[in-house]
Amino acid sequence: DQQVKQNSPSLSVQEGRISILNCDYTNSMFDYFLWYKKYPAEGPTFLISISSIKDKNEDGRFTVFLNKSAKHLSLHIVPSQPGDSAVYFCASQETGANNLFFGTGTRLTVIP
Amino acid sequence: GAGVSQSPSNKVTEKGKDVELRCDPISGHTALYWYRQRLGQGLEFLIYFQGNSAPDKSGLPSDRFSAERTGESVSTLTIQRTQQEDSAVYLCASSPRGTINTGELFFGEGSRLTVL
């Protein structure tokens, strides 16, 4: 049973506009959340994270928002650039656990 | 290079054969993970090594799967009597920290296994 869900397999956005990628989780014990980016033929690379004690974390063009009551997080990229085109994975963890639970990914295409 | 190295990058095998996948973590990283990604699926946790502690094998799908790690170095994932459903990309990741707020995992490029 998928504990982390990314319901949009793909997203296309014009260059310069905002990209919003969404993620839902079911386990209320999750308290740490991450986004990874993956280019073809490469392993995923860490992008940004957020602890459950926060509802927002910003790093340059990337901002992650966490809504604990809705068990929902989102990644905002603004402005979007063609180099942002990749598959984005959401991941969640319970502190002390060994495992990161990953979603199925959303393929973002930024159109020049 | 300084990253996580995996080999082979591609492996095609016949059903019933054994395969061995290798992972060289980043030097000094105490934690090592194996994940797999089947087509259209998310990354699925397989096994976790932390230093000299007993590994967390809770994600291994069957007793045909096993993994070893010597100290804080190389790890091998072995799949015995491969089945077609084992076809996937097997990803290795390492981390300088343990389980508390695992945070950033450093992934290798993966080993793509195809079982005919």
Side-chain angles (χ1 to χ4, degrees):
Chain A
D1 188 29
Q2 198 77 16
Q3 297 193 50
V4 178
K5 299 177 183 179
Q6 294 177 257
N7 293 320
S8 297
S10 63
L11 174 69
S12 291
V13 172
Q14 286 289 134
E15 180 178 4
R17 307 294 282 266
I18 185 171
S19 296
I20 300 176
L21 296 97
N22 294 303
C23 177
D24 297 291
Y25 61 95
T26 58
N27 189 338
S28 58
M29 298 301 291
F30 288 152
D31 55 6
Y32 198 67
F33 306 90
L34 308 94
W35 285 93
Y36 281 78
K37 181 165 91 169
K38 184 182 184 303
Y39 292 118
E42 295 183 9
T45 56
F46 170 77
L47 186 59
I48 192 169
S49 64
I50 188 168
S51 164
S52 61
I53 62 173
K54 295 184 175 181
D55 54 20
K56 176 183 174 181
N57 187 27
E58 190 173 350
D59 183 3
R61 297 184 297 113
F62 302 90
T63 303
V64 56
F65 294 92
L66 175 62
N67 182 335
K68 289 186 288 295
S69 61
K71 295 192 182 69
H72 177 82
L73 64 155
S74 60
L75 175 68
H76 293 209
I77 307 173
V78 56
S80 301
Q81 299 174 353
D84 297 330
S85 297
V87 176
Y88 289 79
F89 290 96
C90 169
S92 303
Q93 182 190 27
E94 178 182 348
T95 297
N98 299 328
N99 184 10
L100 276 182
F101 288 87
F102 284 84
T104 52
T106 296
R107 180 178 302 279
L108 173 67
T109 302
V110 180
I111 303 164
Chain B
V4 176
S5 177
Q6 291 188 245
S7 62
S9 54
N10 275 288
K11 175 72 176 179
V12 180
T13 190
E14 292 179 349
K15 178 181 171 181
K17 295 284 180 69
D18 297 352
V19 296
E20 190 173 277
L21 308 176
R22 175 187 167 107
C23 173
D24 253 300
I26 293 172
S27 178
H29 280 195
T30 59
L32 186 146
Y33 302 76
W34 283 97
Y35 282 82
R36 76 174 174 183
Q37 185 181 19
R38 292 192 273 193
L39 193 64
Q41 303 294 314
L43 278 69
E44 177 187 358
F45 168 78
L46 297 178
I47 190 169
Y48 163 78
F49 295 91
Q50 170 59 32
N52 293 316
S53 302
D56 178 350
K57 304 179 181 180
S58 60
L60 294 178
S62 78
D63 58 7
R64 297 186 295 105
F65 287 72
S66 62
E68 294 183 351
R69 186 184 187 196
T70 306
E72 296 182 357
S73 62
V74 171
S75 175
T76 55
L77 176 69
T78 301
I79 309 172
Q80 295 178 308
R81 305 180 303 281
T82 52
Q83 304 294 312
Q84 287 180 333
E85 63 262 28
D86 300 334
S87 296
V89 176
Y90 288 82
L91 289 158
C92 176
S94 68
S95 169
R97 289 176 293 278
T99 60
I100 305 299
N101 287 348
T102 303
E104 188 173 352
L105 297 186
F106 295 81
F107 282 88
E109 295 181 356
S111 292
R112 180 178 296 278
L113 174 66
T114 302
V115 182
L116 301 177

